[in-house]
Amino acid sequence: RCWLGESVFEAMLRAAILCAALASTSAFSAAPLLKAGSAVRSSGALSGMKMQAFWVKGDKSKAVPFLSRPEKLDGTLAGDVGFDPLGLSNYWDIKWMRESELKHGRICMLATAGILVQEFVHLPGAAFSKKVALEAWSSAPRGGMIQILVAIGLIELVSNRFAMTATDMFADPNRKPGNLGFDPLNLSADESALRRYELAELKHSRLAMIAIGGFVHQAIITKTPVLEQLANFQPIQSAV
């Protein structure tokens, strides 16, 4: 229950942190945390954003075994393990959210590779000589950065035929999340191989999103390029 004076948002945040912590420990347990039929009642304070039911039903989430599987996470999408403790799939189009996850993941895979490569490969000129990614970003010519952002925006609009919102992006029922028709090697010819590639892309995307966050924070704290820091590791205390 909520503590005296605690807001609904704070109660939700506490519940979300608890779910995340318990979900991580479930990977090391041999059996589900709760037996089928046992109940843990959710607080009415969470009604602002309906969380998944805290009582266990017959079909349970693989990621959070003490929660019921979200209705829209039926396993048809690659990498779907039923993780949606906040019930976001009840409010947003699951295909639209997967599209967003894939696009952010693809950008982060490129960014992760770019941060590592730019430690050694630079364009001519002093403005492009910085090894630390954040310093390279701030020293790059503003005009060039604006051109890149405008080009990316136009590609995004044209590739989606200007249907960008959750209400119109998947008006076509045959439209698959992340599928823009780009397959020059014809990898999608084999359906079983395609499913493996889809899962591999999603896992790499999620890992890259975590990695880019780590790279950025490492650059802020140590002011040292990633590979240089890895080769000559130093504790945070001496790096600050």
Side-chain angles (χ1 to χ4, degrees):
R1 68 181 57 176
C2 292
W3 283 265
L4 183 62
E6 185 181 54
S7 67
V8 173
F9 175 77
E10 290 171 337
M12 289 168 48
L13 183 59
R14 288 178 182 275
I17 293 173
L18 176 61
C19 288
L22 292 176
S24 63
T25 60
S26 68
F28 301 94
S29 62
L33 296 179
L34 295 179
K35 295 181 180 179
S38 62
V40 180
R41 300 180 184 274
S42 59
S43 170
L46 304 178
S47 59
M49 176 180 281
K50 182 179 179 183
M51 295 185 70
Q52 294 297 321
F54 273 75
W55 54 85
V56 176
K57 298 181 180 179
D59 192 5
K60 295 176 291 185
S61 166
K62 292 182 181 179
V64 192
F66 57 86
L67 296 182
S68 59
R69 177 184 60 79
E71 180 181 358
K72 296 181 180 179
L73 299 184
D74 56 5
T76 56
L77 294 177
D80 176 9
V81 291
F83 183 79
D84 185 16
L86 295 180
L88 297 179
S89 59
N90 294 328
Y91 303 94
W92 300 93
D93 184 354
I94 189 66
K95 290 184 177 181
W96 187 73
M97 290 192 290
R98 172 51 60 87
E99 178 91 7
S100 177
E101 181 180 27
L102 283 172
K103 286 185 176 179
H104 282 81
R106 290 165 179 173
I107 290 172
C108 287
M109 285 190 284
L110 291 172
T112 300
I115 284 179
L116 299 178
V117 170
Q118 64 93 36
E119 289 189 31
F120 307 100
V121 180
H122 310 280
L123 293 174
F128 304 103
S129 63
K130 303 294 184 180
K131 291 186 176 182
V132 179
L134 296 183
E135 295 177 359
W137 164 267
S138 60
S139 64
R142 295 300 92 186
M145 300 304 298
I146 292 174
Q147 290 176 17
I148 292 174
L149 291 176
V150 170
I152 292 174
L154 290 175
I155 293 172
E156 182 78 359
L157 288 171
V158 173
S159 63
N160 286 285
R161 296 183 175 88
F162 296 88
M164 301 298 297
T165 68
T167 58
D168 60 8
M169 181 176 286
F170 291 94
D172 180 2
N174 296 321
R175 166 86 152 81
K176 294 183 178 180
N179 185 358
L180 301 177
F182 181 77
D183 186 15
L185 299 180
N186 197 29
L187 299 177
S188 60
D190 185 342
E191 185 65 26
S192 61
L194 176 61
R195 293 291 292 179
R196 293 198 305 272
Y197 292 140
E198 288 177 342
L199 181 59
E201 180 187 32
L202 189 68
K203 288 185 174 182
H204 283 84
S205 295
R206 292 170 176 172
L207 181 60
M209 286 188 279
I210 296 173
I212 199 68
F215 286 0
V216 169
H217 284 82
Q218 180 266 345
I220 294 173
I221 294 173
T222 67
K223 306 294 190 300
T224 307
V226 175
L227 296 179
E228 182 177 331
Q229 166 73 2
L230 185 63
N232 304 282
F233 180 78
Q234 53 181 324
I236 293 178
Q237 291 83 350
S238 60
V240 174

